[in-house]
């Protein structure tokens, strides 16, 4: 088949992945109904911006002032902590961050996306994702500078990370 017209699923996918992970980390941490956090609720400021509501809930629960930017940083902290735990307890490495070989062999998606995944583009995407997260692109481990920027020096210390 001719896949030249297929959508480029790799383009900026690292940003989408990070956004979804941060968002899901937040939603799983806050006492907010999944239905109330539907994506179409996100972009109707100022009255119906779910991010503002979520930041106010987090502020009320923690007693610390969270604006929207700090809320999203909290999501990143949660995801980074999860990754650090995987690295520390499971010795998780880049080679463990993979998907089944079947996705590189068979057609993926609907009519607008009808090509098997390309291994090289997938690996390049993982590299871009790690760089976006502030993780080591070779190992997949969070790096000290990003952890410290997130206020997670103690996590970097526990991982035994040295200064860059």
């Amino acid at each position: 088949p001719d896949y030249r017209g297929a959508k480029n699923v790799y383009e900026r996918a690292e940003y989408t992945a990070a956004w979804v992970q941060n968002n899901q980390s937040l939603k799983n941490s806050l006492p907010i109904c999944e239905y109330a956090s539907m994506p179409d609720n996100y972009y109707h400021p100022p009255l119906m911006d779910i991010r503002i509501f979520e930041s106010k809930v987090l502020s009320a629960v923690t007693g610390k002032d969270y604006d929207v930017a700090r809320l999203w940083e909290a999501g990143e902290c949660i995801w980074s902590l999860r990754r650090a735990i995987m690295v520390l307890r499971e010795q998780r490495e880049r080679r463990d961050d993979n998907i089944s070989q079947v996705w590189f062999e068979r057609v993926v998606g609907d009519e607008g996306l009808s090509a098997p995944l390309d291994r090289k583009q997938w690996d390049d995407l993982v590299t871009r994702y790690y760089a976006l997260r502030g993780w080591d692109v070779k190992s997949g481990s969070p790096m000290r500078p990003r952890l410290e920027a997130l206020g997670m020096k103690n996590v970097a210390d526990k991982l035994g990370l040295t200064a860059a």
Side-chain angles (χ1 to χ4, degrees), residues 13-38:
E14 65 275 17
Y15 292 96
T16 302
W19 186 92
V20 168
Q21 293 162 341
N22 290 357
N23 181 260
Q24 282 303 124
S25 294
L26 287 168
K27 288 199 299 187
N28 291 335
S29 300
L30 296 171
I32 297 175
C33 172
E34 183 80 21
Y35 179 76
S37 297
M38 298 299 284

Side-chain angles (χ1 to χ4, degrees), residues 77-94:
C77 287
I78 294 166
W79 193 259
S80 294
L81 180 59
R82 287 182 60 170
R83 181 59 180 208
I85 291 169
M86 286 187 261
V87 167
L88 185 64
R89 292 191 179 166
E90 302 164 15
Q91 291 76 49
R92 182 133 185 144
E93 298 176 351
R94 182 181 176 126

Side-chain angles (χ1 to χ4, degrees), residues 52-97:
I52 294 171
F53 175 71
E54 289 172 340
S55 68
K56 288 183 180 192
V57 169
L58 187 58
S59 296
V61 169
T62 64
K64 297 179 181 179
D65 187 31
Y66 279 86
D67 61 9
V68 171
R70 190 163 182 215
L71 174 78
W72 287 104
E73 188 175 275
E76 183 180 355
C77 287
I78 294 166
W79 193 259
S80 294
L81 180 59
R82 287 182 60 170
R83 181 59 180 208
I85 291 169
M86 286 187 261
V87 167
L88 185 64
R89 292 191 179 166
E90 302 164 15
Q91 291 76 49
R92 182 133 185 144
E93 298 176 351
R94 182 181 176 126
R95 65 185 169 141
D96 301 313
D97 291 334

